């Protein structure tokens, strides 16, 4: 049995901070009123992922239900600390200065906004409405051992601005971090190494 990475999705108990993976892509967290409650608003650029996303969020104590353009949580007090990290005081999305990508956050990013590029790599969609978050996320991916290429919308078939991970070493690292595909997801939609799905 391969040794479990300290940064893989299964390396530590699930927690609320893992849900930052929803914010790496087009997802948003918004505060209400004085900012003591917040909720997630997660667009779904790819079909068939609602159940898996809802299950991963529920494992962290947060219910995601269908909303106007994807999945949405209720306003909750326990999400306010995450919102303070990911939003400026005026509500502008930001990446925390000390943000670290690990397997759990990557798993949620891949599920919410990741897709195979049909050339052996994997695309992670970025937020098209927050381009200032792209460079910090590139830096975070690089620190995690996943130096990406940046793609503009339409480049290599990307449906929006995205990071592209490719090459044997990077894909092996991504597969190690995110773990096996959720059972409701097609294996072809999940990161693979040398054409083989994660066992």
């Amino acid at each position: 049995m391969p040794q479990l990475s300290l940064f893989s999705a299964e390396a530590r108990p699930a927690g609320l901070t893992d849900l930052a993976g929803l914010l790496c892509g087009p997802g948003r967290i918004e505060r209400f009123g004085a900012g003591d409650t917040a909720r997630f608003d997660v667009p779904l650029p790819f079909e068939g992922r609602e159940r898996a996303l809802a299950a991963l969020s529920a494992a962290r104590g947060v219910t995601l239900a269908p909303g106007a353009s994807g999945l949405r949580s209720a306003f909750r007090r326990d999400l306010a600390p995450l919102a303070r990290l990911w939003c400026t005081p005026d509500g502008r999305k930001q990446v925390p200065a000390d943000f670290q990508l690990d397997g759990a956050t990557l798993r949620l990013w891949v599920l919410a906004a990741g897709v195979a590029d049909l050339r052996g790599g994997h695309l992670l969609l970025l937020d098209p409405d927050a381009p200032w978050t792209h460079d910090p996320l590139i830096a975070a991916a690089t620190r995690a051992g996943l130096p990406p290429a940046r793609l503009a919308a339409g480049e290599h078939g990307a449906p929006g601005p995205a990071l592209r991970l490719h090459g044997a070493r990077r894909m092996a690292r991504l597969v190690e971090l995110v773990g096996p595909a959720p059972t409701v997801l097609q294996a072809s939609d999940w990161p693979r190494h040398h054409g083989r799905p994660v066992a």
Side-chain angles (χ1 to χ4, degrees):
M1 176 178 292
Q3 185 177 4
L4 185 66
S5 168
L6 291 175
F7 301 99
S8 71
E10 296 87 2
R12 58 174 173 76
L16 276 177
T17 57
D18 301 339
L19 296 174
L22 299 175
L23 305 174
C24 295
R28 295 294 179 105
I29 191 167
E30 55 182 353
R31 291 177 288 187
F32 179 73
D36 55 354
T37 64
R39 74 175 175 193
F40 282 106
D41 193 353
V42 186
L44 295 175
F46 307 111
E47 296 181 357
R49 306 195 181 186
E50 296 89 342
R51 285 176 54 201
L53 274 172
L56 282 182
S57 298
R60 289 151 177 87
V62 174
T63 299
L64 290 180
S69 60
L71 295 175
R72 177 176 283 183
S73 75
F75 281 105
R76 300 165 52 117
R77 288 185 179 275
D78 58 356
L79 294 180
L82 193 63
R84 284 192 289 271
L85 288 173
W86 281 83
C87 295
T88 63
D90 61 358
R92 190 173 185 252
K93 186 176 181 179
Q94 66 178 0
V95 178
D98 59 350
F99 180 58
Q100 298 291 330
L101 271 174
D102 60 14
T105 53
L106 267 168
R107 186 172 176 82
L108 280 151
W109 189 2
V110 167
L111 184 57
V115 66
D117 70 356
L118 304 180
R119 299 172 61 199
H122 210 80
L123 306 181
L124 295 173
L125 298 190
L126 298 164
D127 190 336
D129 298 321
W132 54 88
T133 64
H134 299 178
D135 283 341
L137 288 169
I138 289 171
T142 301
R143 288 193 298 271
L146 298 167
R150 185 205 304 255
L151 300 182
E155 192 175 357
H156 293 293
L163 304 185
R164 180 174 185 250
L165 301 172
H166 65 285
R169 182 173 296 180
R170 292 180 185 87
M171 291 306 298
R173 174 69 172 160
L174 181 61
V175 164
E176 173 193 22
L177 288 172
V178 300
T183 55
V184 297
L185 202 66
Q186 293 186 6
S188 59
D189 289 333
W190 200 248
R192 295 187 292 175
H193 180 222
H194 292 311
R196 296 190 302 272
V198 178

